[in-house]
Amino acid sequence: MKQVEKPKKPLIIYYLIAFIVLILLNWFVFPMFMGSNVREVDYGTFLNMIEERQVSKVQLEGDTIYFMDKSEEPQQYETTTFDDPELVNRLEDAGCEFGRVAQEQMNPILSMLISIVIPVLIFWGLGQLLTKQMMKKMGGGAGGNPFMQFGKSNAKVYVESTTGITFNDVAGEDEAKELLTEIVDFLHNPGKYQEIGAVCPKGALLVGPPGTGKTLLAKAVAGEAGVPFFSISGSEFVEMFVGMGASKVRDLFKQANEKAPCIVFIDEIDTIGKKRDSQGFSGNDEREQTLNQLLTEMDGFDASKGVVILAATNRPDSLDPALLRPGRFDRRIPVELPDLKGREEILKVHARKVKLSDNVDFNVIARAASGASGAELANMVNEAALRAVRDNRKYVTQEDLEESIEVVIAGYQKKNKVLSTKEKLIVSYHEIGHALVAALQTNSAPVTKITIIPRTSGALGYTMQVDEEERNLMSREEIENKIATLTGGRCAEELIFDSVTTGASNDIEQATKLARAMITRFGMSDRFGMVALETQVNPYLGGDSSLSCSPETASTIDDMVVDTVKKAYDKAMNLLRENKGKLHELAKYLYEKETITGEEFMSILNKKEDTEEKN
Ligand code: ADP
Ligand code: MG
Ligand code: ZN
């Protein structure tokens, strides 16, 4: 890098300060030694004063005469004589004390030293000192370049004691923990591995959806390994100036090499690790340089020294392939959304911090919170605790936890939102429509709760269905049933009020997505069979997908999606028509109660069936 000139302005300021200090010294301090308030008078006045016997003490110093008057508060005077042979006589006549001080004949060299050399030296030394200190503060070090600071990585150094997080704080994710334990073990006894000739992986990449505990796992590794832990986020490499990101990478690895064995953790690595463009004009040279530097550094260091690089991302598909090849991030650790058991454990981990009442059953909560990430579960426990505090209770109850699931899923209850009677009635029929269609079909998850209390998310009501067991697969029939259930709300509105509302927009969206996925991704259409027409771009982030087919096929797909949803709609409509009586009764019940449980719902549904059979 080019040597940059030392900044001038600040130095001038320091010189100025020194100068002012000197002047002040001159004004206030030096005169003190001579005695202040010396009044200068001419020789004639002096002689007059002697004659009038006003003078007490006189001191001769070369040509200068200092003397005092005889007043109450003696005033000091100064005057200059020209060789007056009578002076001594006069003084004797006047009867004043007098003496002569030998004039200090200063060595000319010494006086020059004092007046010129010493100030210069003082200034120079002061300047040096300040410059050095400034450089140090700016992080320039030996080079003395204040701009070096921009290139410094500001990776935080965690040591065992500071994170305080161990694998015990991470629930579920057993596979990830197992793989990471091996790395920790390697850092503890590298000899064991070297004996056999095994090389520890240089890097491990934690991949998974947001909130599944990737960052938490990395911190736990730091806590377990008991070695220095450098943690930096990918975005911290992105700098204002080109080349700074690369220089930060260099610095980070330099520090890591000095501290080995240690762990370097790069969070959100996709910020710098995105695929490099092949078209030449990438438009982001800086990022590319940073990535290149990272690749170089990863190749450069010796894994046996014990530097392990961890990284986390939720967009593994967008990473540059060069990062993923063996020798770099050769170990990929999936950190997926927790399963039923995992969710239960995560709830328990977070519930350690709150006081619970005896009736809490985490299994029930975990089942209801299907699809929730670790972060969401942690949030739920906290919401439940907050609710308990709000109600002035000392313990968190099952109801708190159940309500908090809904808070996390649908937002808070909107207490002040008042629905008109008509709207409330429509929402009641809509929700019962969903629930009835779900209940009347086989192979669909049981209804556990129906409510028409508006939520801050905008939902006016909803029907909660919870599977009895964890599901990993869905059959074609189940998807079709689900689409029918989604259309059930709108069906009920149309059947009863003969008009439709905007309330079904979310249902429509979900139903369409499912129907489309059946055809394009799950191979569940007779026409296309097992042909992938769509690829998921980013499975961990919302799962956007992009079509990969001809425009004609795309329009055929659209037609088929419409057909599928329509078929489901007709099915739901038929089910509701056949059970119109139950629909009325349940909707009325929900309208009055606003929230009903799955059991209430089922008991009314079944009771009604009996009476109908009797009629
Ligand atoms: P990300 O995968 O997005 O990096 P984090 O590690 O930041 O997610 O997780 C956020 C929070 O969620 C954690 O601080 C923790 O409280 C909670 N959490 C997530 N996963 C788990 C888990 N497996 N066990 C316990 N807590 C978890
Ligand atoms: Mg994270
Ligand atoms: Zn609906």
Side-chain angles (χ1 to χ4, degrees), residues 259-293:
K259 292 254 162 66
C262 68
I263 296 167
V264 175
F265 174 54
I266 306 175
D267 208 353
E268 315 288 349
I269 196 174
D270 44 281
T271 334
I272 50 166
K274 273 206 203 89
K275 279 195 189 89
R276 283 164 293 186
D277 271 333
S278 48
Q279 291 120 334
F281 305 102
S282 70
N284 199 342
D285 254 357
E286 162 65 351
R287 220 194 52 219
E288 209 158 284
Q289 272 187 32
T290 311
L291 175 58
N292 284 337
Q293 189 63 43

PDB file of all heavy atoms in Angstrom, residues 259-293:
ATOM      1  N   LYS A 259      -2.941 -17.513  17.455  1.00  0.00           N
ATOM      2  CA  LYS A 259      -3.612 -18.022  18.653  1.00  0.00           C
ATOM      3  C   LYS A 259      -3.898 -19.523  18.579  1.00  0.00           C
ATOM      4  O   LYS A 259      -4.569 -20.052  19.462  1.00  0.00           O
ATOM      5  CB  LYS A 259      -4.933 -17.272  18.851  1.00  0.00           C
ATOM      6  CG  LYS A 259      -4.756 -15.823  19.224  1.00  0.00           C
ATOM      7  CD  LYS A 259      -5.072 -15.590  20.694  1.00  0.00           C
ATOM      8  CE  LYS A 259      -4.497 -14.290  21.210  1.00  0.00           C
ATOM      9  NZ  LYS A 259      -5.113 -13.104  20.603  1.00  0.00           N
ATOM     10  N   ALA A 260      -3.487 -20.197  17.503  1.00  0.00           N
ATOM     11  CA  ALA A 260      -3.833 -21.601  17.318  1.00  0.00           C
ATOM     12  C   ALA A 260      -3.378 -22.430  18.527  1.00  0.00           C
ATOM     13  O   ALA A 260      -2.333 -22.133  19.093  1.00  0.00           O
ATOM     14  CB  ALA A 260      -3.178 -22.124  16.047  1.00  0.00           C
ATOM     15  N   PRO A 261      -4.127 -23.459  18.935  1.00  0.00           N
ATOM     16  CA  PRO A 261      -5.386 -23.891  18.338  1.00  0.00           C
ATOM     17  C   PRO A 261      -6.538 -22.958  18.691  1.00  0.00           C
ATOM     18  O   PRO A 261      -6.634 -22.494  19.817  1.00  0.00           O
ATOM     19  CB  PRO A 261      -5.608 -25.267  18.969  1.00  0.00           C
ATOM     20  CG  PRO A 261      -4.881 -25.211  20.258  1.00  0.00           C
ATOM     21  CD  PRO A 261      -3.710 -24.289  20.058  1.00  0.00           C
ATOM     22  N   CYS A 262      -7.376 -22.720  17.702  1.00  0.00           N
ATOM     23  CA  CYS A 262      -8.512 -21.839  17.922  1.00  0.00           C
ATOM     24  C   CYS A 262      -9.581 -22.087  16.872  1.00  0.00           C
ATOM     25  O   CYS A 262      -9.392 -22.879  15.951  1.00  0.00           O
ATOM     26  CB  CYS A 262      -8.070 -20.384  17.881  1.00  0.00           C
ATOM     27  SG  CYS A 262      -7.561 -19.866  16.252  1.00  0.00           S
ATOM     28  N   ILE A 263     -10.712 -21.440  17.055  1.00  0.00           N
ATOM     29  CA  ILE A 263     -11.832 -21.595  16.127  1.00  0.00           C
ATOM     30  C   ILE A 263     -12.168 -20.232  15.538  1.00  0.00           C
ATOM     31  O   ILE A 263     -12.216 -19.242  16.247  1.00  0.00           O
ATOM     32  CB  ILE A 263     -13.065 -22.154  16.847  1.00  0.00           C
ATOM     33  CG1 ILE A 263     -12.776 -23.559  17.368  1.00  0.00           C
ATOM     34  CG2 ILE A 263     -14.277 -22.169  15.931  1.00  0.00           C
ATOM     35  CD1 ILE A 263     -13.809 -24.050  18.344  1.00  0.00           C
ATOM     36  N   VAL A 264     -12.367 -20.216  14.228  1.00  0.00           N
ATOM     37  CA  VAL A 264     -12.817 -18.991  13.572  1.00  0.00           C
ATOM     38  C   VAL A 264     -14.238 -19.230  13.108  1.00  0.00           C
ATOM     39  O   VAL A 264     -14.511 -20.221  12.432  1.00  0.00           O
ATOM     40  CB  VAL A 264     -11.923 -18.659  12.356  1.00  0.00           C
ATOM     41  CG1 VAL A 264     -12.485 -17.456  11.614  1.00  0.00           C
ATOM     42  CG2 VAL A 264     -10.505 -18.382  12.802  1.00  0.00           C
ATOM     43  N   PHE A 265     -15.145 -18.373  13.496  1.00  0.00           N
ATOM     44  CA  PHE A 265     -16.541 -18.554  13.097  1.00  0.00           C
ATOM     45  C   PHE A 265     -17.002 -17.383  12.238  1.00  0.00           C
ATOM     46  O   PHE A 265     -16.946 -16.235  12.657  1.00  0.00           O
ATOM     47  CB  PHE A 265     -17.426 -18.683  14.338  1.00  0.00           C
ATOM     48  CG  PHE A 265     -18.901 -18.741  14.030  1.00  0.00           C
ATOM     49  CD1 PHE A 265     -19.389 -19.677  13.140  1.00  0.00           C
ATOM     50  CD2 PHE A 265     -19.787 -17.864  14.625  1.00  0.00           C
ATOM     51  CE1 PHE A 265     -20.744 -19.744  12.842  1.00  0.00           C
ATOM     52  CE2 PHE A 265     -21.157 -17.916  14.332  1.00  0.00           C
ATOM     53  CZ  PHE A 265     -21.623 -18.860  13.437  1.00  0.00           C
ATOM     54  N   ILE A 266     -17.416 -17.693  11.025  1.00  0.00           N
ATOM     55  CA  ILE A 266     -17.922 -16.654  10.122  1.00  0.00           C
ATOM     56  C   ILE A 266     -19.420 -16.859   9.973  1.00  0.00           C
ATOM     57  O   ILE A 266     -19.872 -17.803   9.336  1.00  0.00           O
ATOM     58  CB  ILE A 266     -17.230 -16.718   8.746  1.00  0.00           C
ATOM     59  CG1 ILE A 266     -15.711 -16.675   8.917  1.00  0.00           C
ATOM     60  CG2 ILE A 266     -17.703 -15.572   7.867  1.00  0.00           C
ATOM     61  CD1 ILE A 266     -14.944 -16.863   7.635  1.00  0.00           C
ATOM     62  N   ASP A 267     -20.194 -15.980  10.586  1.00  0.00           N
ATOM     63  CA  ASP A 267     -21.652 -16.095  10.535  1.00  0.00           C
ATOM     64  C   ASP A 267     -22.153 -15.480   9.227  1.00  0.00           C
ATOM     65  O   ASP A 267     -21.528 -14.568   8.697  1.00  0.00           O
ATOM     66  CB  ASP A 267     -22.257 -15.359  11.739  1.00  0.00           C
ATOM     67  CG  ASP A 267     -23.587 -15.974  12.151  1.00  0.00           C
ATOM     68  OD1 ASP A 267     -24.067 -16.861  11.424  1.00  0.00           O
ATOM     69  OD2 ASP A 267     -24.114 -15.587  13.203  1.00  0.00           O
ATOM     70  N   GLU A 268     -23.268 -16.002   8.735  1.00  0.00           N
ATOM     71  CA  GLU A 268     -23.884 -15.475   7.501  1.00  0.00           C
ATOM     72  C   GLU A 268     -22.842 -15.361   6.398  1.00  0.00           C
ATOM     73  O   GLU A 268     -22.652 -14.302   5.799  1.00  0.00           O
ATOM     74  CB  GLU A 268     -24.513 -14.103   7.755  1.00  0.00           C
ATOM     75  CG  GLU A 268     -25.341 -13.979   9.014  1.00  0.00           C
ATOM     76  CD  GLU A 268     -26.672 -14.711   8.945  1.00  0.00           C
ATOM     77  OE1 GLU A 268     -27.056 -15.142   7.847  1.00  0.00           O
ATOM     78  OE2 GLU A 268     -27.309 -14.879   9.995  1.00  0.00           O
ATOM     79  N   ILE A 269     -22.192 -16.475   6.116  1.00  0.00           N
ATOM     80  CA  ILE A 269     -21.071 -16.413   5.171  1.00  0.00           C
ATOM     81  C   ILE A 269     -21.539 -16.109   3.753  1.00  0.00           C
ATOM     82  O   ILE A 269     -20.747 -15.683   2.911  1.00  0.00           O
ATOM     83  CB  ILE A 269     -20.257 -17.724   5.209  1.00  0.00           C
ATOM     84  CG1 ILE A 269     -18.901 -17.509   4.544  1.00  0.00           C
ATOM     85  CG2 ILE A 269     -21.028 -18.865   4.584  1.00  0.00           C
ATOM     86  CD1 ILE A 269     -17.983 -18.678   4.644  1.00  0.00           C
ATOM     87  N   ASP A 270     -22.844 -16.296   3.498  1.00  0.00           N
ATOM     88  CA  ASP A 270     -23.326 -16.039   2.132  1.00  0.00           C
ATOM     89  C   ASP A 270     -23.115 -14.586   1.706  1.00  0.00           C
ATOM     90  O   ASP A 270     -23.062 -14.291   0.521  1.00  0.00           O
ATOM     91  CB  ASP A 270     -24.789 -16.444   1.988  1.00  0.00           C
ATOM     92  CG  ASP A 270     -25.629 -15.987   3.157  1.00  0.00           C
ATOM     93  OD1 ASP A 270     -25.582 -16.640   4.223  1.00  0.00           O
ATOM     94  OD2 ASP A 270     -26.284 -14.964   3.026  1.00  0.00           O
ATOM     95  N   THR A 271     -22.973 -13.680   2.682  1.00  0.00           N
ATOM     96  CA  THR A 271     -22.733 -12.277   2.332  1.00  0.00           C
ATOM     97  C   THR A 271     -21.471 -12.122   1.494  1.00  0.00           C
ATOM     98  O   THR A 271     -21.423 -11.320   0.568  1.00  0.00           O
ATOM     99  CB  THR A 271     -22.543 -11.422   3.598  1.00  0.00           C
ATOM    100  OG1 THR A 271     -23.215 -12.035   4.661  1.00  0.00           O
ATOM    101  CG2 THR A 271     -23.030 -10.022   3.380  1.00  0.00           C
ATOM    102  N   ILE A 272     -20.427 -12.881   1.844  1.00  0.00           N
ATOM    103  CA  ILE A 272     -19.210 -12.746   1.041  1.00  0.00           C
ATOM    104  C   ILE A 272     -18.989 -13.956   0.139  1.00  0.00           C
ATOM    105  O   ILE A 272     -18.179 -13.884  -0.771  1.00  0.00           O
ATOM    106  CB  ILE A 272     -17.956 -12.541   1.917  1.00  0.00           C
ATOM    107  CG1 ILE A 272     -17.890 -13.589   3.023  1.00  0.00           C
ATOM    108  CG2 ILE A 272     -17.899 -11.149   2.463  1.00  0.00           C
ATOM    109  CD1 ILE A 272     -16.541 -13.638   3.694  1.00  0.00           C
ATOM    110  N   GLY A 273     -19.710 -15.044   0.425  1.00  0.00           N
ATOM    111  CA  GLY A 273     -19.407 -16.276  -0.306  1.00  0.00           C
ATOM    112  C   GLY A 273     -20.311 -16.544  -1.488  1.00  0.00           C
ATOM    113  O   GLY A 273     -20.370 -17.661  -1.973  1.00  0.00           O
ATOM    114  N   LYS A 274     -21.036 -15.523  -1.959  1.00  0.00           N
ATOM    115  CA  LYS A 274     -21.953 -15.753  -3.087  1.00  0.00           C
ATOM    116  C   LYS A 274     -21.198 -16.186  -4.327  1.00  0.00           C
ATOM    117  O   LYS A 274     -20.050 -15.822  -4.524  1.00  0.00           O
ATOM    118  CB  LYS A 274     -22.707 -14.459  -3.391  1.00  0.00           C
ATOM    119  CG  LYS A 274     -23.951 -14.294  -2.578  1.00  0.00           C
ATOM    120  CD  LYS A 274     -24.964 -13.412  -3.309  1.00  0.00           C
ATOM    121  CE  LYS A 274     -25.919 -12.799  -2.318  1.00  0.00           C
ATOM    122  NZ  LYS A 274     -25.443 -11.521  -1.791  1.00  0.00           N
ATOM    123  N   LYS A 275     -21.905 -16.933  -5.155  1.00  0.00           N
ATOM    124  CA  LYS A 275     -21.302 -17.386  -6.414  1.00  0.00           C
ATOM    125  C   LYS A 275     -20.748 -16.202  -7.185  1.00  0.00           C
ATOM    126  O   LYS A 275     -21.398 -15.173  -7.319  1.00  0.00           O
ATOM    127  CB  LYS A 275     -22.371 -18.056  -7.280  1.00  0.00           C
ATOM    128  CG  LYS A 275     -22.658 -19.483  -6.909  1.00  0.00           C
ATOM    129  CD  LYS A 275     -23.438 -20.170  -8.020  1.00  0.00           C
ATOM    130  CE  LYS A 275     -23.913 -21.521  -7.558  1.00  0.00           C
ATOM    131  NZ  LYS A 275     -25.213 -21.512  -6.910  1.00  0.00           N
ATOM    132  N   ARG A 276     -19.536 -16.402  -7.706  1.00  0.00           N
ATOM    133  CA  ARG A 276     -18.980 -15.334  -8.515  1.00  0.00           C
ATOM    134  C   ARG A 276     -19.603 -15.384  -9.891  1.00  0.00           C
ATOM    135  O   ARG A 276     -19.897 -16.450 -10.410  1.00  0.00           O
ATOM    136  CB  ARG A 276     -17.455 -15.497  -8.609  1.00  0.00           C
ATOM    137  CG  ARG A 276     -16.772 -15.054  -7.354  1.00  0.00           C
ATOM    138  CD  ARG A 276     -15.369 -15.549  -7.297  1.00  0.00           C
ATOM    139  NE  ARG A 276     -15.332 -17.006  -7.162  1.00  0.00           N
ATOM    140  CZ  ARG A 276     -14.209 -17.685  -6.983  1.00  0.00           C
ATOM    141  NH1 ARG A 276     -13.066 -17.075  -6.951  1.00  0.00           N
ATOM    142  NH2 ARG A 276     -14.242 -18.986  -6.856  1.00  0.00           N
ATOM    143  N   ASP A 277     -19.804 -14.223 -10.462  1.00  0.00           N
ATOM    144  CA  ASP A 277     -20.453 -14.181 -11.768  1.00  0.00           C
ATOM    145  C   ASP A 277     -19.505 -14.667 -12.833  1.00  0.00           C
ATOM    146  O   ASP A 277     -18.313 -14.416 -12.784  1.00  0.00           O
ATOM    147  CB  ASP A 277     -20.861 -12.736 -12.093  1.00  0.00           C
ATOM    148  CG  ASP A 277     -22.244 -12.456 -11.578  1.00  0.00           C
ATOM    149  OD1 ASP A 277     -23.012 -13.421 -11.483  1.00  0.00           O
ATOM    150  OD2 ASP A 277     -22.538 -11.289 -11.272  1.00  0.00           O
ATOM    151  N   SER A 278     -20.094 -15.328 -13.836  1.00  0.00           N
ATOM    152  CA  SER A 278     -19.233 -15.799 -14.908  1.00  0.00           C
ATOM    153  C   SER A 278     -19.207 -14.806 -16.060  1.00  0.00           C
ATOM    154  O   SER A 278     -18.430 -14.929 -16.971  1.00  0.00           O
ATOM    155  CB  SER A 278     -19.726 -17.160 -15.401  1.00  0.00           C
ATOM    156  OG  SER A 278     -21.113 -17.093 -15.617  1.00  0.00           O
ATOM    157  N   GLN A 279     -20.081 -13.808 -15.992  1.00  0.00           N
ATOM    158  CA  GLN A 279     -20.191 -12.926 -17.150  1.00  0.00           C
ATOM    159  C   GLN A 279     -19.155 -11.812 -17.164  1.00  0.00           C
ATOM    160  O   GLN A 279     -19.236 -10.914 -17.978  1.00  0.00           O
ATOM    161  CB  GLN A 279     -21.578 -12.288 -17.201  1.00  0.00           C
ATOM    162  CG  GLN A 279     -22.645 -13.286 -17.523  1.00  0.00           C
ATOM    163  CD  GLN A 279     -23.659 -13.359 -16.409  1.00  0.00           C
ATOM    164  OE1 GLN A 279     -23.354 -13.055 -15.261  1.00  0.00           O
ATOM    165  NE2 GLN A 279     -24.852 -13.793 -16.732  1.00  0.00           N
ATOM    166  N   GLY A 280     -18.220 -11.869 -16.283  1.00  0.00           N
ATOM    167  CA  GLY A 280     -17.172 -10.847 -16.347  1.00  0.00           C
ATOM    168  C   GLY A 280     -17.509  -9.625 -15.527  1.00  0.00           C
ATOM    169  O   GLY A 280     -16.942  -9.412 -14.475  1.00  0.00           O
ATOM    170  N   PHE A 281     -18.475  -8.859 -15.957  1.00  0.00           N
ATOM    171  CA  PHE A 281     -18.788  -7.639 -15.220  1.00  0.00           C
ATOM    172  C   PHE A 281     -19.656  -7.990 -14.024  1.00  0.00           C
ATOM    173  O   PHE A 281     -20.859  -8.053 -14.118  1.00  0.00           O
ATOM    174  CB  PHE A 281     -19.522  -6.644 -16.119  1.00  0.00           C
ATOM    175  CG  PHE A 281     -18.776  -6.346 -17.368  1.00  0.00           C
ATOM    176  CD1 PHE A 281     -19.143  -6.924 -18.562  1.00  0.00           C
ATOM    177  CD2 PHE A 281     -17.666  -5.504 -17.329  1.00  0.00           C
ATOM    178  CE1 PHE A 281     -18.431  -6.660 -19.720  1.00  0.00           C
ATOM    179  CE2 PHE A 281     -16.967  -5.234 -18.489  1.00  0.00           C
ATOM    180  CZ  PHE A 281     -17.345  -5.815 -19.685  1.00  0.00           C
ATOM    181  N   SER A 282     -19.027  -8.203 -12.940  1.00  0.00           N
ATOM    182  CA  SER A 282     -19.813  -8.656 -11.797  1.00  0.00           C
ATOM    183  C   SER A 282     -20.382  -7.470 -11.041  1.00  0.00           C
ATOM    184  O   SER A 282     -21.371  -7.583 -10.366  1.00  0.00           O
ATOM    185  CB  SER A 282     -18.947  -9.481 -10.859  1.00  0.00           C
ATOM    186  OG  SER A 282     -18.018  -8.630 -10.234  1.00  0.00           O
ATOM    187  N   GLY A 283     -19.739  -6.325 -11.168  1.00  0.00           N
ATOM    188  CA  GLY A 283     -20.272  -5.150 -10.501  1.00  0.00           C
ATOM    189  C   GLY A 283     -19.941  -5.109  -9.032  1.00  0.00           C
ATOM    190  O   GLY A 283     -20.198  -4.135  -8.373  1.00  0.00           O
ATOM    191  N   ASN A 284     -19.388  -6.170  -8.501  1.00  0.00           N
ATOM    192  CA  ASN A 284     -18.993  -6.094  -7.105  1.00  0.00           C
ATOM    193  C   ASN A 284     -17.611  -6.700  -6.903  1.00  0.00           C
ATOM    194  O   ASN A 284     -17.457  -7.800  -6.407  1.00  0.00           O
ATOM    195  CB  ASN A 284     -20.025  -6.785  -6.218  1.00  0.00           C
ATOM    196  CG  ASN A 284     -19.892  -6.334  -4.784  1.00  0.00           C
ATOM    197  OD1 ASN A 284     -18.862  -5.783  -4.410  1.00  0.00           O
ATOM    198  ND2 ASN A 284     -20.904  -6.567  -3.993  1.00  0.00           N
ATOM    199  N   ASP A 285     -16.650  -5.951  -7.325  1.00  0.00           N
ATOM    200  CA  ASP A 285     -15.268  -6.375  -7.229  1.00  0.00           C
ATOM    201  C   ASP A 285     -14.857  -6.626  -5.805  1.00  0.00           C
ATOM    202  O   ASP A 285     -14.129  -7.555  -5.509  1.00  0.00           O
ATOM    203  CB  ASP A 285     -14.373  -5.271  -7.792  1.00  0.00           C
ATOM    204  CG  ASP A 285     -13.844  -5.670  -9.130  1.00  0.00           C
ATOM    205  OD1 ASP A 285     -14.147  -6.802  -9.530  1.00  0.00           O
ATOM    206  OD2 ASP A 285     -13.142  -4.860  -9.755  1.00  0.00           O
ATOM    207  N   GLU A 286     -15.355  -5.768  -4.952  1.00  0.00           N
ATOM    208  CA  GLU A 286     -14.956  -5.823  -3.552  1.00  0.00           C
ATOM    209  C   GLU A 286     -15.290  -7.182  -2.950  1.00  0.00           C
ATOM    210  O   GLU A 286     -14.479  -7.812  -2.310  1.00  0.00           O
ATOM    211  CB  GLU A 286     -15.645  -4.683  -2.795  1.00  0.00           C
ATOM    212  CG  GLU A 286     -15.705  -4.819  -1.295  1.00  0.00           C
ATOM    213  CD  GLU A 286     -14.341  -4.777  -0.650  1.00  0.00           C
ATOM    214  OE1 GLU A 286     -13.338  -4.810  -1.371  1.00  0.00           O
ATOM    215  OE2 GLU A 286     -14.292  -4.753   0.583  1.00  0.00           O
ATOM    216  N   ARG A 287     -16.528  -7.624  -3.183  1.00  0.00           N
ATOM    217  CA  ARG A 287     -16.956  -8.888  -2.597  1.00  0.00           C
ATOM    218  C   ARG A 287     -16.122 -10.031  -3.152  1.00  0.00           C
ATOM    219  O   ARG A 287     -15.730 -10.941  -2.443  1.00  0.00           O
ATOM    220  CB  ARG A 287     -18.434  -9.113  -2.900  1.00  0.00           C
ATOM    221  CG  ARG A 287     -19.179  -9.693  -1.732  1.00  0.00           C
ATOM    222  CD  ARG A 287     -20.516 -10.200  -2.166  1.00  0.00           C
ATOM    223  NE  ARG A 287     -20.400 -11.084  -3.302  1.00  0.00           N
ATOM    224  CZ  ARG A 287     -21.245 -11.103  -4.317  1.00  0.00           C
ATOM    225  NH1 ARG A 287     -22.254 -10.295  -4.330  1.00  0.00           N
ATOM    226  NH2 ARG A 287     -21.064 -11.953  -5.303  1.00  0.00           N
ATOM    227  N   GLU A 288     -15.863  -9.945  -4.451  1.00  0.00           N
ATOM    228  CA  GLU A 288     -15.099 -11.001  -5.087  1.00  0.00           C
ATOM    229  C   GLU A 288     -13.686 -11.078  -4.531  1.00  0.00           C
ATOM    230  O   GLU A 288     -13.159 -12.148  -4.280  1.00  0.00           O
ATOM    231  CB  GLU A 288     -15.061 -10.729  -6.585  1.00  0.00           C
ATOM    232  CG  GLU A 288     -14.955 -11.973  -7.398  1.00  0.00           C
ATOM    233  CD  GLU A 288     -15.462 -11.712  -8.802  1.00  0.00           C
ATOM    234  OE1 GLU A 288     -16.688 -11.645  -8.983  1.00  0.00           O
ATOM    235  OE2 GLU A 288     -14.624 -11.561  -9.682  1.00  0.00           O
ATOM    236  N   GLN A 289     -13.109  -9.917  -4.332  1.00  0.00           N
ATOM    237  CA  GLN A 289     -11.748  -9.882  -3.760  1.00  0.00           C
ATOM    238  C   GLN A 289     -11.726 -10.492  -2.379  1.00  0.00           C
ATOM    239  O   GLN A 289     -10.815 -11.228  -2.019  1.00  0.00           O
ATOM    240  CB  GLN A 289     -11.282  -8.434  -3.641  1.00  0.00           C
ATOM    241  CG  GLN A 289     -10.609  -7.913  -4.868  1.00  0.00           C
ATOM    242  CD  GLN A 289     -10.032  -6.538  -4.592  1.00  0.00           C
ATOM    243  OE1 GLN A 289      -9.626  -6.247  -3.474  1.00  0.00           O
ATOM    244  NE2 GLN A 289      -9.988  -5.717  -5.609  1.00  0.00           N
ATOM    245  N   THR A 290     -12.755 -10.159  -1.601  1.00  0.00           N
ATOM    246  CA  THR A 290     -12.826 -10.686  -0.248  1.00  0.00           C
ATOM    247  C   THR A 290     -12.929 -12.205  -0.278  1.00  0.00           C
ATOM    248  O   THR A 290     -12.244 -12.911   0.461  1.00  0.00           O
ATOM    249  CB  THR A 290     -14.046 -10.102   0.489  1.00  0.00           C
ATOM    250  OG1 THR A 290     -14.048  -8.695   0.317  1.00  0.00           O
ATOM    251  CG2 THR A 290     -14.018 -10.434   1.949  1.00  0.00           C
ATOM    252  N   LEU A 291     -13.791 -12.691  -1.169  1.00  0.00           N
ATOM    253  CA  LEU A 291     -13.956 -14.139  -1.288  1.00  0.00           C
ATOM    254  C   LEU A 291     -12.652 -14.793  -1.723  1.00  0.00           C
ATOM    255  O   LEU A 291     -12.232 -15.815  -1.149  1.00  0.00           O
ATOM    256  CB  LEU A 291     -15.073 -14.444  -2.292  1.00  0.00           C
ATOM    257  CG  LEU A 291     -15.289 -15.919  -2.614  1.00  0.00           C
ATOM    258  CD1 LEU A 291     -15.587 -16.705  -1.355  1.00  0.00           C
ATOM    259  CD2 LEU A 291     -16.435 -16.074  -3.609  1.00  0.00           C
ATOM    260  N   ASN A 292     -11.990 -14.205  -2.703  1.00  0.00           N
ATOM    261  CA  ASN A 292     -10.723 -14.777  -3.162  1.00  0.00           C
ATOM    262  C   ASN A 292      -9.708 -14.841  -2.035  1.00  0.00           C
ATOM    263  O   ASN A 292      -8.987 -15.832  -1.884  1.00  0.00           O
ATOM    264  CB  ASN A 292     -10.152 -13.941  -4.311  1.00  0.00           C
ATOM    265  CG  ASN A 292     -10.896 -14.216  -5.596  1.00  0.00           C
ATOM    266  OD1 ASN A 292     -11.503 -15.273  -5.742  1.00  0.00           O
ATOM    267  ND2 ASN A 292     -10.875 -13.261  -6.507  1.00  0.00           N
ATOM    268  N   GLN A 293      -9.682 -13.792  -1.256  1.00  0.00           N
ATOM    269  CA  GLN A 293      -8.742 -13.762  -0.141  1.00  0.00           C
ATOM    270  C   GLN A 293      -9.065 -14.877   0.847  1.00  0.00           C
ATOM    271  O   GLN A 293      -8.192 -15.562   1.359  1.00  0.00           O
ATOM    272  CB  GLN A 293      -8.804 -12.397   0.553  1.00  0.00           C
ATOM    273  CG  GLN A 293      -7.728 -12.176   1.582  1.00  0.00           C
ATOM    274  CD  GLN A 293      -6.354 -12.194   0.958  1.00  0.00           C
ATOM    275  OE1 GLN A 293      -6.129 -11.632  -0.099  1.00  0.00           O
ATOM    276  NE2 GLN A 293      -5.424 -12.865   1.621  1.00  0.00           N
TER     277      GLN A 293
END
